[in-house]
Amino acid sequence: MNSNRRIAAICYPCIFEQLHSLARVTGLDEEEGKMLFEHSMRHLLATHGEGLVVQHIIRSATDRAIALSGKGVDYDPYGAIKKQLNDIARQFAGGFRNKIRHSSEPLRDAVKIAAAGNIIDFGAKRHGSLDIEMELSSIDERAFGRFDFAEFSGRLKLAGKLLYICDNAGEIVFDRLFIEEIRRSNPGLEVTCAVRALPIINDAVLADAHDAGLFDVAEVVSSGSVYPGTLLSETSDEFRGLFDNADVIISKGQGNFETLLDVADERLFFILRIKCDQMAKLSRVAKGELVLMQGRGKLNVGCGIN
């Protein structure tokens, strides 16, 4: 484990919000919810947040919540919510697909739609506080604080292998639209999508990818990650091989941005919405704005988890 990892103080309120949401969606009663908070607080107090990232705490808390719920190790706390998110996203997908196909710059518009889809994130918003339909209906109003499109499109034209690291359910419906356009722009490209190995918040797993139709446009694999992000040293050998051999890597969402920032090179492009002050600090992009951001050499931010 990277000894430079630690959880920033500014991230603690987000952890508490996640614990509250987790207790709610798993149906824990007041006493069980208290036990869940105490479990995570003991973990933080014992380590002072050193040697950890937020993703470690959320994984540990999720395992504890599932155990407290008594619903079995295969229980997905956000399973029904993720199905609903895919269903809502599909309501907008046809219109966005038409927009892309009739655009004078279809790849550019597909990037923007994929980026704007990153609003669907209960890792940064407590469940119940996010009006998905309102957010999606205003997708064209979203501003980009960083848009390295020339670099992205240039590398994509020459690429033979693309690794697409997915983030949330719902969002992956728009990832499918993006991949459709990517494949039209480069018909010979091999595209592999990676999703989480185990349920965690509303991050996509293989079942969600099936539901969203990702298997129709790409090979889909588990990254081996059990976290809301991609800690490369804690992924599968298969995934690390795909990562090493890809000509272009697309990393969706905040969790992947946090965990891949320190290994990003010029092949890697982060696509996300900046949702908190810590990510604004790391990216030097204002909170609320979207980014298409090339990795090391273009990023101009400090590496690692602060």
Side-chain angles (χ1 to χ4, degrees):
M1 184 178 294
N2 185 341
S3 61
N4 291 324
R5 287 179 184 161
R6 66 184 180 89
I7 298 176
I10 197 173
C11 296
Y12 277 60
C14 183
I15 294 173
F16 300 151
E17 288 283 9
Q18 279 303 301
L19 296 175
H20 176 79
S21 177
L22 189 56
R24 179 181 174 190
V25 299
T26 50
L28 301 184
D29 61 27
E30 184 173 350
E31 185 61 28
E32 291 166 338
K34 182 180 177 182
M35 292 170 67
L36 176 64
F37 269 85
E38 289 175 346
H39 166 83
S40 297
M41 292 308 99
R42 281 195 296 270
H43 199 175
L44 286 167
L45 289 171
T47 62
H48 301 286
E50 299 293 335
L52 296 171
V53 290
V54 172
Q55 286 77 13
H56 288 125
I57 295 295
I58 300 305
R59 176 73 262 164
S60 177
T62 299
D63 291 340
R64 181 60 174 155
I66 291 172
L68 287 168
S69 75
K71 295 176 182 176
V73 294
D74 294 328
Y75 171 55
D76 183 347
Y78 284 84
I81 294 168
K82 290 191 290 181
K83 179 64 168 66
Q84 182 182 20
L85 293 174
N86 276 350
D87 289 343
I88 292 172
R90 271 190 286 264
Q91 295 174 22
F92 292 84
F96 289 145
R97 182 179 282 113
N98 286 334
K99 176 181 175 64
I100 292 167
R101 290 184 178 176
H102 291 93
S103 171
S104 60
E105 296 183 279
L107 185 62
R108 181 183 291 265
D109 278 345
V111 170
K112 291 182 176 180
I113 288 167
N118 187 236
I119 61 171
I120 305 172
D121 185 3
F122 294 134
K125 290 271 191 177
R126 188 176 70 250
H127 173 50
S129 69
L130 194 59
D131 187 335
I132 300 297
E133 295 193 48
M134 183 276 290
E135 294 276 7
L136 291 179
S137 65
S138 61
I139 207 168
D140 287 332
E141 301 171 15
R142 300 299 171 191
F144 273 79
R146 179 76 170 267
F147 196 57
D148 293 336
F149 181 74
E151 294 84 351
F152 172 71
S153 59
R155 283 186 171 266
L156 191 63
K157 288 176 185 177
L158 302 175
K161 295 181 180 180
L162 168 67
L163 175 61
Y164 197 112
I165 306 173
C166 298
D167 191 27
N168 301 319
E171 178 181 355
I172 57 176
V173 172
F174 304 122
D175 293 333
R176 175 182 174 168
L177 301 181
F178 186 24
I179 292 167
E180 288 175 358
E181 185 53 42
I182 286 172
R183 297 190 71 167
R184 271 192 289 272
S185 68
N186 185 341
L189 186 66
E190 295 179 21
V191 181
T192 303
C193 292
V195 295
R196 308 292 187 244
L198 291 176
I200 185 80
I201 319 180
N202 66 319
D203 288 28
V205 295
L206 288 171
D208 306 311
H210 272 291
D211 183 54
L214 272 187
F215 282 80
D216 295 336
V217 297
E219 181 182 359
V220 184
V221 301
S222 164
S223 68
S225 174
V226 299
Y227 305 105
T230 305
L231 296 165
L232 199 56
S233 63
E234 300 178 51
T235 56
S236 68
D237 291 341
E238 178 189 20
F239 177 81
R240 288 194 295 274
L242 290 166
F243 191 94
D244 290 342
N245 293 316
D247 300 307
V248 176
I249 302 168
I250 294 172
S251 166
K252 288 296 300 293
Q254 182 165 298
N256 287 327
F257 177 73
E258 289 180 89
T259 49
L260 290 172
L261 179 59
D262 61 348
V263 297
D265 58 29
E266 291 85 354
R267 300 173 302 145
L268 198 153
F269 291 84
F270 295 105
I271 300 177
L272 69 151
R273 185 182 184 185
I274 302 301
K275 302 187 183 96
C276 71
D277 293 332
Q278 178 71 353
M279 290 304 100
K281 175 184 174 182
L282 289 176
S283 65
R284 298 183 183 175
V285 172
K287 187 166 70 172
E289 292 189 334
L290 304 173
V291 296
L292 167 64
M293 184 179 292
Q294 192 176 20
R296 185 171 294 159
K298 295 290 293 184
L299 206 51
N300 297 322
V301 298
C303 294
I305 302 299
N306 289 340

